[in-house]
Amino acid sequence: MSLGFLLLLLLIPGAALAAPVPLTSPEGFRALDTPNDAGKSLSLVWKSSPGDSKARKVQIWMAEGGEAGTPREFKKVTEMPSNARYLKPGDFPWWNQPAAKGDHYVKVPSSQTFPIQDGKRYAAKLVIREGDQEVSSPVSEAISEPNWFNLAQVNNLLFVIAFTGVLLASISAARRNPHVYLRRIAGLDAVEEAIGRSTEMGRPILYLTGAGDMSDVPTIAATVILGEVAKKVARYDTTLKVPHRDPIVMAVCQEVVKEAYLEAGRPDAYKEDCNFFITGDQFSYTAAVDGIMLREKPAANFYMGSYFAESLLLTETGAGTGAIQIAGTDSDHQLPFFVTTCDYTLIGEELYAASAYLSREPVLVGTLRGQDFGKAFIMAVLILGTTLATFGVMIQSDAVNYVLDLFKDFK
Amino acid sequence: MIFFKRQLPLLITGIMGVAFALQYYIPHPVSEEAITHISKWMQIISGFALVLGLASLFQVHAVKIKRQVPGWGYSVILYLAMLVTMAVGLFWSKGETTMNGAQTGFGWIYSYTMVPLQATMFSILAFFIASAAYRAFRARTREAAVLLVAAVIVMMGRVPLGQFLLPWTWDVTQWLLNVVNSAVRRAILIGVSMGAVALSLKIILGYERSYLGGGKDQ
Amino acid sequence: MKEFARWMVSIDRRIIFLLIALATLLPLLHPFGLPIKVSPEVRGVYDYIESLPEGSVFLLSLDFDPSSKPELEPQAIALLRHAFRKQLRVIGMTHWLPGTGLADSIFSKVATEMKRESGKDYVFLGWSPGTGSLVISMGQDLYKAFPSDYAKKPTLGMPVLEGVRNLRDVTYLISLAAGNPGIEMWYVFGKDKYRFEMGGGSTGVMAPGLYPFLRSGQINGLIGGLQGAAEYETLIGQKGTAVAGMDAQSADHFVIIALVLLCNVFYFVLRGDKGRLA
């Protein structure tokens, strides 16, 4: 075999590689109503091509669809490089994918250039240009409609329904047996000690319900705990002081404390003004409460609910008066301050657990169990998801996405 | 009467709760218009909450002044301050803090009393943090020692002097914040969010009625 | 030594307060000026604003009151200087009623400095009740949520708001937050629904709690406390009160570290002593 012939054999494949891919009409082009949207938008899909490149441009042309056979006035809507706008994993869930992964997907919303109205037929076509060459796709028609349900979020809805079911089942089970095991929380054992100490010293107990209003979870937990504390206070005949920032919370707490005294069999000991309103302003309230602490020197301070910057101002002043301090909050940004200045701190959900632990109300106990099931599920999903995602990367497969997509939040 | 006080609010809460939970999954413009309409109502109600707060304040301190309870002088000062601010704001300054580029009386009260007072209260935290840290950051246990070491590293890594003297504290601080801190915060966030979802479901389904006020018979 | 250790462990708080006061005051009077290292979190915000084309709509929500002014005002000023320099169209507002006057004065001050005109280059919408409901309302129709700006000028027809119908037309939003309502509220009711890009700024205390949002991409950058503001001032090349305050903050941190370490030394001296006696 001559050298020339060998060189020719080498050159032909090289020449084949260097030659540009001929321009062909985009395969699988179709227009469709954009899924899961509020309308006034269409989507275009077409298959990717080996010739897709930055130099090759794709133009989207659209026209209002008229009667069949009548000429339509196409308008150029946008232009982009042909190697853009691919459908990637994570764009759509597998049960609601408008095109295969790797295909082109372009959403065309209504704009000033080309307004789109719902219920009206529109025609679309692509024009591919590269250098002097140009080729058009067949025309495809579609009607834009608003959607009544976002199918991409069906997994989210199913989880909400499942969690609701678990919660209701837990509450139902707790109603049948309220003595479900709840882990001991150190701060709660100290409540009795704190109230006893206040009684011995003849000093009042100060109870704060935090910065939130009655629609906040921690405030509701704080009022429940107040009820239990008030029952113990009634039995020991100690003074209870509950300054408030919110008039509605104050009204609720007044009823809660009154009820607690009644249940403890001490309605005579109840004082109407143990719950009093100061102000809604953060630092004015803090200054007022600090003043109460310094003047009246309560022996025990309870900080239950949501707190913000005032937390350290309150707890450090309380620490300075020598009071025993028990805090419970889900405001994670204030936890460091409570932990360093208080004797006991209920962190995050321990506050909600405390209200269930003290009252043993079936609804509260059941809710706690339901939440625990939810958290166990999340932990299982975290482990499964991490393992699958890692495995998917190792074997370079997208098949794991069939499971991972079930737990993703798609918009 | 009981129907209006108990059953009707629960019914409204249940229907609106379910409707607006489902609204999240409905992209149709009808659903968007509904939530816009309701948002307007909620904005109006929020505005009324201001009036409620002000009325409560007036009423509470009026009682204190009338009964001359200890500290009633401060209630008089509060009254005077409120009335003067309202008078200056409404009649003199017409609700504006600046007028034609110049500061109004209302603006003066805001800039020279409220701003420095609030900033001062917040500034006290710097001193309290120091005294709290001095008292509490003792290596009594292993966990306390870990807390102490982490706190010292982060305190150094977050200021230019620390970054200058010990450059590695910057990197360790970034790792602590982005890895350890993020993980723990996520865990707390998940737990707290589950609590919020559970409470919302209980309110919608009528299991939680404390927002209606009153005792256990609710 | 033991007596001294005992005294130190239970030292009067006022001595600690005095040391902190001196550590804060002296560097302010005699600054030593150290280089500020920029974190990736702050750079995230800066780089995104740098990448925005001229005329992009930037919404800055100053969700704080005067108590957080020392930390968040420098952040606001640095961001506004950057935005005005990039010729962005700036929309300002606040969810915190007590902070409205402060927010207005910040906008006026920086606009005057950068020679920007209200209505043409920026608009300060002020405050309106509702927090989450307000965000939803803005997401549907900005002009219904804010028919007029803080100076009572009608928003409809303002040159700076041309082409802006609602939050979907906002390119980038930053919430400088001292609490609630703040960044979380803007994400839940705003970004999740209306899909604009979002960044955040917060007090130093709140910043660690926002890292989960940063790590998951819900916010693309975070300016944390006075240190964050100083980093941003360094990036824009215009030093202000934040950089000036970092010397004092450095000194304060070192005083606290020294006190804590000393306290532990004395604590161990006393504890060791008790062990020997036992």
Side-chain angles (χ1 to χ4, degrees):
Chain A
M1 228 182 254
S2 71
L3 189 61
F5 182 68
L6 277 169
L7 279 168
L8 198 65
L9 281 176
L10 284 167
L11 280 169
I12 289 168
L17 278 168
V21 175
L23 218 51
T24 53
S25 177
E27 203 187 317
F29 172 71
R30 59 191 171 94
L32 54 131
D33 172 39
T34 304
N36 311 319
D37 73 333
K40 295 198 171 116
S41 145
L42 291 172
S43 291
L44 307 176
V45 301
W46 68 97
K47 294 231 175 287
S48 58
S49 155
D52 285 342
S53 66
K54 205 170 165 184
R56 188 177 286 190
K57 303 287 181 204
V58 173
Q59 294 174 348
I60 295 175
W61 290 71
M62 295 188 68
E64 285 182 26
E67 294 292 321
T70 56
R72 286 180 284 217
E73 204 181 305
F74 278 89
K75 209 191 246 183
K76 188 171 105 173
V77 173
T78 188
E79 182 176 297
M80 67 194 89
S82 63
N83 63 347
R85 309 289 198 100
Y86 294 103
L87 198 71
K88 299 183 297 297
D91 285 345
F92 288 92
W94 52 263
W95 60 86
N96 190 227
Q97 239 172 251
K101 286 195 178 68
D103 286 355
H104 291 280
Y105 174 84
V106 176
K107 181 179 166 181
V108 183
S110 177
S111 62
Q112 279 184 329
T113 317
F114 193 83
I116 296 174
Q117 287 171 7
D118 292 329
K120 214 168 164 183
R121 187 174 290 277
Y122 293 92
K125 68 176 181 182
L126 299 179
V127 173
I128 317 286
R129 277 208 165 119
E130 189 170 19
D132 295 331
Q133 296 179 75
E134 181 184 298
V135 70
S136 289
S137 71
V139 172
S140 179
E141 291 184 348
I143 300 173
S144 166
E145 295 285 359
N147 301 110
W148 280 101
F149 187 76
N150 186 345
L151 276 168
Q153 291 182 318
V154 76
N155 56 335
N156 187 310
L157 180 62
L158 288 174
F159 284 132
V160 168
I161 294 169
F163 182 64
T164 309
V166 165
L167 197 68
L168 293 176
S170 302
I171 291 172
S172 186
R175 277 197 169 136
R176 287 193 297 275
N177 174 25
H179 299 287
V180 171
Y181 170 73
L182 291 176
R183 168 176 74 83
R184 265 178 103 82
I185 298 166
L188 294 179
D189 296 336
V191 168
E192 193 92 32
E193 180 201 329
I195 296 171
R197 189 168 177 259
S198 301
T199 313
E200 277 169 24
M201 294 169 84
R203 287 182 2 206
I205 290 167
L206 189 70
Y207 191 101
L208 307 181
T209 52
D213 54 34
M214 276 322 290
S215 61
D216 293 329
V217 186
T219 312
I220 294 174
T223 53
V224 173
I225 298 170
L226 172 63
E228 299 307 314
V229 167
K231 254 188 252 174
K232 291 184 171 48
V233 165
R235 273 187 233 122
Y236 281 90
D237 208 9
T238 322
T239 311
L240 177 66
K241 286 185 176 294
V242 191
H244 288 279
R245 273 179 78 165
D246 184 282
I248 296 170
V249 174
M250 183 183 77
V252 172
C253 289
Q254 271 170 340
E255 293 296 321
V256 164
V257 172
K258 196 171 172 180
E259 191 75 31
Y261 272 73
L262 267 166
E263 278 181 38
R266 294 297 316 274
D268 53 298
Y270 171 68
K271 289 192 187 71
E272 186 75 39
D273 58 1
C274 67
N275 280 274
F276 52 99
F277 177 76
I278 297 183
T279 176
D281 183 69
Q282 182 182 23
F283 289 113
S284 313
Y285 173 82
T286 307
V289 173
D290 281 352
I292 292 170
M293 285 186 201
L294 290 168
R295 284 191 301 273
E296 301 190 36
K297 294 195 174 17
N301 297 330
F302 290 85
Y303 308 95
M304 301 287 170
S306 332
Y307 290 86
F308 294 92
E310 72 277 12
S311 62
L312 186 64
L313 295 173
L314 292 166
T315 55
E316 185 61 10
T317 308
T321 63
I324 181 170
Q325 305 201 105
I326 301 171
T329 184
D330 68 344
S331 306
D332 58 311
H333 36 87
Q334 302 306 316
L335 281 171
F337 304 121
F338 282 123
V339 166
T340 48
T341 50
C342 294
D343 298 285
Y344 300 94
T345 306
L346 305 175
I347 297 172
E349 283 177 288
E350 285 184 331
L351 175 65
Y352 314 146
S355 58
Y357 188 90
L358 286 172
S359 65
R360 285 285 164 178
E361 267 191 44
V363 172
L364 293 174
V365 170
T367 308
L368 207 61
R369 292 284 281 184
Q371 279 173 235
D372 278 352
F373 282 123
K375 274 182 284 175
F377 176 73
I378 288 174
M379 282 193 283
V381 166
L382 280 170
I383 294 167
L384 176 71
T386 311
T387 311
L388 278 176
T390 311
F391 185 63
V393 165
M394 281 165 60
I395 63 168
Q396 292 192 352
S397 166
D398 284 339
V400 294
N401 286 327
Y402 282 105
V403 176
L404 294 177
D405 278 2
L406 293 173
F407 305 108
K408 271 191 202 155
D409 180 36
F410 292 96
K411 295 281 172 243
Chain B
M1 199 58 203
I2 288 175
F3 173 76
F4 285 106
K5 232 182 141 184
R6 218 174 290 169
Q7 265 83 33
L8 184 62
L10 288 172
L11 198 63
I12 293 171
T13 306
I15 292 171
M16 298 302 274
V18 171
F20 285 95
L22 288 176
Q23 187 278 331
Y24 181 75
Y25 304 98
I26 302 172
H28 201 281
V30 159
S31 140
E32 292 292 323
E33 277 156 30
I35 198 162
T36 310
H37 200 73
I38 295 293
S39 303
K40 276 282 162 211
W41 276 101
M42 286 170 72
Q43 274 189 276
I44 293 166
I45 293 166
S46 303
F48 272 106
L50 282 172
V51 176
L52 181 68
L54 198 64
S56 297
L57 208 60
F58 267 114
Q59 196 251 329
V60 160
H61 289 278
V63 167
K64 281 189 176 173
I65 294 168
K66 198 172 157 189
R67 288 190 195 160
Q68 294 196 355
V69 299
W72 68 274
Y74 294 111
S75 296
V76 173
I77 293 170
L78 173 75
Y79 249 83
L80 279 170
M82 275 202 294
L83 292 169
V84 164
T85 308
M86 282 163 71
V88 167
L90 287 171
F91 304 115
W92 205 347
S93 313
K94 295 179 179 47
E96 310 286 349
T97 47
T98 52
M99 223 183 266
N100 304 322
Q103 196 175 47
T104 60
F106 185 57
W108 190 94
I109 291 174
Y110 179 82
S111 301
Y112 294 103
T113 58
M114 187 163 171
V115 172
L117 280 170
Q118 285 212 338
T120 305
M121 284 296 292
F122 203 82
S123 307
I124 296 171
L125 283 173
F127 300 95
F128 277 24
I129 281 170
S131 67
Y134 185 80
R135 213 184 46 250
F137 280 179
R138 291 179 198 178
R140 288 190 194 97
T141 59
R142 238 174 297 183
E143 290 86 9
V146 169
L147 176 67
L148 170 66
V149 168
V152 168
I153 292 173
V154 173
M155 273 196 279
M156 291 190 78
R158 284 294 290 172
V159 289
L161 186 58
Q163 293 157 18
F164 180 73
L165 291 173
L166 293 169
W168 59 267
T169 54
W170 162 264
D171 299 302
V172 176
T173 300
Q174 286 296 110
W175 182 82
L176 282 170
L177 284 172
N178 283 288
V179 178
V180 183
N181 166 69
S182 288
V184 170
R185 298 285 181 161
R186 269 195 196 121
I188 296 175
L189 201 58
I190 287 170
V192 164
S193 303
M194 292 235 81
V197 168
L199 177 72
S200 306
L201 285 168
K202 284 193 300 180
I203 289 173
I204 290 169
L205 297 170
Y207 284 92
E208 180 59 58
R209 300 174 186 187
S210 54
Y211 64 93
L212 293 173
K216 286 209 178 73
D217 61 347
Q218 286 284 355
Chain C
M1 176 65 177
K2 278 173 276 175
E3 280 307 308
F4 180 67
R6 230 167 255 131
W7 181 78
M8 279 300 290
V9 161
S10 50
I11 197 172
D12 191 329
R13 292 191 307 171
R14 288 171 291 187
I15 296 174
I16 298 172
F17 296 164
L18 184 64
L19 288 170
I20 293 293
L22 288 170
T24 309
L25 196 58
L26 291 174
L28 288 173
L29 296 171
H30 301 282
F32 38 90
L34 283 165
I36 310 277
K37 214 165 167 180
V38 179
S39 61
E41 299 88 83
V42 174
R43 191 169 278 282
V45 174
Y46 176 83
D47 286 346
Y48 194 80
I49 294 180
E50 267 300 296
S51 72
L52 292 176
E54 192 179 304
S56 299
V57 180
F58 171 54
L59 199 156
L60 182 63
S61 187
L62 303 185
D63 301 322
F64 59 92
D65 61 6
S67 58
S68 306
K69 180 186 171 193
E71 280 187 290
L72 295 176
E73 190 187 52
Q75 293 182 13
I77 290 172
L79 282 165
L80 279 172
R81 281 176 177 157
H82 192 196
F84 285 142
R85 202 189 304 162
K86 288 288 300 176
Q87 311 278 11
L88 305 181
R89 291 188 281 160
V90 181
I91 303 173
M93 62 171 289
T94 177
H95 282 291
W96 287 46
L97 179 59
T100 316
L102 177 62
D104 179 49
S105 72
I106 292 170
F107 269 87
S108 307
K109 184 170 131 185
V110 181
T112 309
E113 176 196 311
M114 308 283 293
K115 295 184 179 48
R116 295 289 183 268
E117 206 181 305
S118 171
K120 202 167 140 242
D121 305 301
Y122 78 97
V123 60
F124 179 61
L125 300 172
W127 174 88
S128 188
T131 61
S133 322
L134 175 65
V135 172
I136 292 170
S137 191
M138 289 171 74
Q140 302 304 311
D141 189 326
L142 186 69
Y143 305 102
K144 281 203 178 127
F146 284 101
S148 60
D149 69 357
Y150 188 61
K152 310 272 189 292
K153 283 184 265 173
T155 45
L156 195 63
M158 260 189 193
V160 67
L161 294 174
E162 195 188 309
V164 179
R165 283 162 305 141
N166 52 43
L167 286 178
R168 284 180 221 271
D169 301 317
V170 167
T171 320
Y172 192 44
L173 185 146
I174 291 182
S175 167
L176 299 184
N180 191 29
I183 294 166
E184 279 187 55
M185 188 275 301
W186 268 114
Y187 179 80
V188 168
F189 292 101
K191 183 178 171 175
D192 195 53
K193 243 177 127 59
Y194 305 110
R195 318 286 176 90
F196 44 79
E197 190 55 79
M198 194 174 142
S202 71
T203 54
V205 163
M206 284 190 60
L210 294 166
Y211 272 76
F213 296 93
L214 182 67
R215 297 261 57 84
S216 62
Q218 286 161 315
I219 54 175
N220 71 351
L222 179 64
I223 307 172
L226 196 68
Q227 165 74 16
E231 291 174 29
Y232 209 88
E233 285 176 1
T234 307
L235 282 169
I236 64 170
Q238 203 170 348
K239 292 179 185 176
T241 47
V243 171
M246 286 318 295
D247 289 344
Q249 191 161 332
S250 294
D252 282 331
H253 279 215
F254 269 76
V255 164
I256 294 173
I257 290 169
L259 284 171
V260 165
L261 291 175
L262 267 175
C263 175
N264 274 277
V265 164
F266 296 127
Y267 170 72
F268 278 109
V269 161
L270 287 174
R271 208 168 86 159
D273 201 45
K274 276 186 200 149
R276 273 200 292 276
L277 284 171

